[in-house]
Amino acid sequence: MADQTQTALLLVDIQNDFCTGGSLAVPDSEEIFPVVNAAISEARENDWPIVASRDWHPVDHCSFEHRGGPWPVHCVQDSHGASFNPKMELPADAIRVSKGTAFEQDAYSAFDGTQLDRFLVRRGVSRLKIAGLALDVCVQATVKDALDAGFKVDLLAEGSRAVEDDKAPKVLDELSSAGARIIG
Ligand code: ZN
């Protein structure tokens, strides 16, 4: 009997500001690209939906340090820093999901305020392969929300890196305990 599981690839916030040279660069972010691009190839071969989320903040967003938030200015709408990193071989028809677009509210998860779960359910998706940046912030929040929404999750650990690298094993343990399958 054919496998009825429909998979989608979800790439979290692989944007210039989170990569080497960006305003909020995640250490060793360069290392994710071979894994991410292999996952994109696999998704294209299997005709899986490819979804790319992006942090997409208005100017003076509440998460910025000069507003009392925890982060330097990053991913301002339509800026170079907010663009998807060109090392990611994102197909032109990949589905873009923008988050953190309200002035006074932040969003770490790709599901937060986006109704992404409803879109995926409508497409018949039941399993997500997830990779991206940063493991201990937006990827973590996205995986948790995906599990809470009832999706099976395969987390591509080698396709993700943490802002605080020493936190990575703990985050992976937590997400594994929550039900995610951690794969290379
Ligand atoms: Zn942000």
Side-chain angles (χ1 to χ4, degrees):
M1 194 171 145
D3 181 2
Q4 297 298 310
T5 305
Q6 169 68 24
T7 302
L9 177 63
L10 175 52
L11 302 166
V12 178
D13 298 10
I14 304 178
Q15 297 165 269
N16 288 327
D17 271 341
F18 296 128
C19 297
T20 305
S23 67
L24 187 38
V26 175
D28 301 324
S29 56
E30 298 294 315
E31 295 174 4
I32 73 169
F33 290 107
V35 176
V36 165
N37 288 332
I40 289 171
S41 294
E42 179 192 32
R44 294 187 73 166
E45 282 164 18
N46 290 286
D47 209 18
W48 295 339
I50 299 172
V51 178
S53 72
R54 59 183 181 183
D55 229 13
W56 197 246
H57 297 316
V59 291
D60 293 341
H61 187 246
C62 64
S63 75
F64 297 163
E65 281 165 344
H66 70 274
R67 288 289 319 282
W71 309 113
V73 172
H74 65 281
C75 297
V76 172
Q77 293 168 2
D78 287 316
S79 67
H80 174 75
S83 297
F84 290 116
N85 189 290
K87 293 197 180 79
M88 173 170 64
E89 293 161 1
L90 193 67
D93 62 352
I95 296 141
R96 275 75 168 163
V97 175
S98 303
K99 64 187 178 67
T101 60
F103 284 97
E104 301 300 332
Q105 194 176 336
D106 204 3
Y108 287 166
S109 163
F111 292 91
D112 189 353
T114 63
Q115 302 187 339
L116 174 60
D117 53 334
R118 293 170 64 169
F119 169 79
L120 293 169
V121 167
R122 193 156 51 79
R123 283 286 183 97
V125 171
S126 55
R127 179 173 62 191
L128 293 170
K129 281 199 163 187
I130 298 179
L133 302 168
L135 176 66
D136 51 340
V137 188
C138 293
V139 172
Q140 182 178 28
T142 297
V143 170
K144 282 182 177 168
D145 277 356
L147 292 166
D148 285 348
F151 296 99
K152 292 181 180 137
V153 174
D154 290 348
L155 174 58
L156 299 173
E158 289 302 314
S160 188
R161 288 292 181 276
V163 176
E164 294 180 65
D165 192 38
D166 54 348
K167 271 193 184 175
K170 186 166 171 283
V171 171
L172 292 173
D173 276 355
E174 276 180 23
L175 294 177
S176 177
S177 298
R181 193 163 69 118
I182 312 299
I183 57 179

